[in-house]
Amino acid sequence: MIVDDSVVIRGLISRWIGAEHDMEVVASLRTGLEAVNQLERINPDVAVLDIEMPELDGLSALPQLLAKKRDLVIIMASTLTRRNAEISFKALSLGAADYIPKPESTREASAADIFHHDLIQKIRHLGARLRRKSAVASPSLAPASPAPLAREPVARPAAPAPAAPAASAASLVKRSFSTQTPKVLLIGSSTGGPQALMSVVTDLGPVIDRFPVLITQHMPPTFTTILAEHLARSSRRPAHEAIDGEAVKPGQIYLAPGGRHMRVVRSGTDAAIALDDGPAVNFCKPAVDPLFTSAIDLWHGAILAVILTGMGSDGMRGGKDIVAAGGSVIAQDEATSVVWGMPGAAANAGICAAILPLNQIASKVNRLFSGDRS
């Protein structure tokens, strides 16, 4: 179901989806009010929901749609403004599955191509997760209580779904944790990452106070600015978009800025941030692999890398390099991941020392930085 007041955008997305063999457009609507009123009749699996619309905007329509169909996958769409980025974060806290930035002009070929690729991938992967859930329990159209309003623009996410059976995760774990106590924490994430990151950093205070934390989240400019602000609120520690050339110090969370890769380099006896505007890596910019691989020259095997929910396999190759250098990798498990692409790639590559539900990752990280090796 496409919900957007722009006839151009509705037509564009309809053509893209119509060209895919595994998805179809069941409705193309102009307002959030039309979507709410027609939801039961249309019964879509996925909704692409614009933020700014007449009669009922996307943020107001979101809880009403989820109240009517709790398992509806909603992807928020908005142009790249600070206000819309804030609204997209709010929507995530209210139950939206993901967001996608719309190009300022669909006449710009490269921007339209990126929007096309990202939208189709999000629909496919998030829709596939819904189908997997449906195999266990039939989708419901029964009314559900709306998600509570967050006190902050991004609230702590709801408790994650139950973890996959322990034997299943354990069978994928191939390595022991490093014999070295880590000196830096690296985190990579993508789809579902903002909520997951907020959950993890909330309980990482002891690690952040004593060690640097560097994060790459697949996200465009403006969105990363706001994400850094929310990470600071959740962790109650300083967090900001990394600045080229700045020193890497304990007590700080450094977030890769949207549209630029973040690496670490040696500056005298210290570590420093290096940002670059090079080509996308794994179709992403920023990408996780450049951060992971660059850290080895500075911290060698004293690295702990965490790969959270996300599409694709970014982080897996960098994780292999970290493990080869003597470091350790933890992946989020499938049951609590919005998309088990990135963590699944790492788990299936045999590079993980642990595959954990989201709500167990922070406590494990705290123990490892305190010297625990189990």
Side-chain angles (χ1 to χ4, degrees), residues 70 156 179 207 359:
R70 64 170 62 103
R156 294 181 64 176
T179 57
V207 171
N359 62 359

Side-chain angles (χ1 to χ4, degrees), residues 18 25 34 41-42 83 97 205 248 250 284 297 314 350:
V25 177
E34 291 178 4
R41 180 182 65 80
I42 297 167
R83 176 180 175 274
V248 175
C284 304
D297 289 338
D314 192 23

Side-chain angles (χ1 to χ4, degrees), residues 122-190:
K122 287 176 188 287
I123 292 171
R124 177 169 289 121
H125 284 85
L126 293 167
R129 178 175 172 82
L130 174 65
R131 287 195 296 274
R132 287 196 299 272
K133 283 184 176 180
S134 298
V136 179
S138 298
S140 172
L141 276 170
S145 299
L149 290 175
R151 287 175 294 177
E152 296 286 348
V154 171
R156 294 181 64 176
S168 172
S171 66
L172 289 170
V173 176
K174 304 296 183 183
R175 296 182 177 274
S176 300
F177 280 103
S178 172
T179 57
Q180 300 182 58
T181 300
K183 296 179 180 177
V184 64
L185 175 61
L186 311 178
I187 304 177
S189 52
S190 183

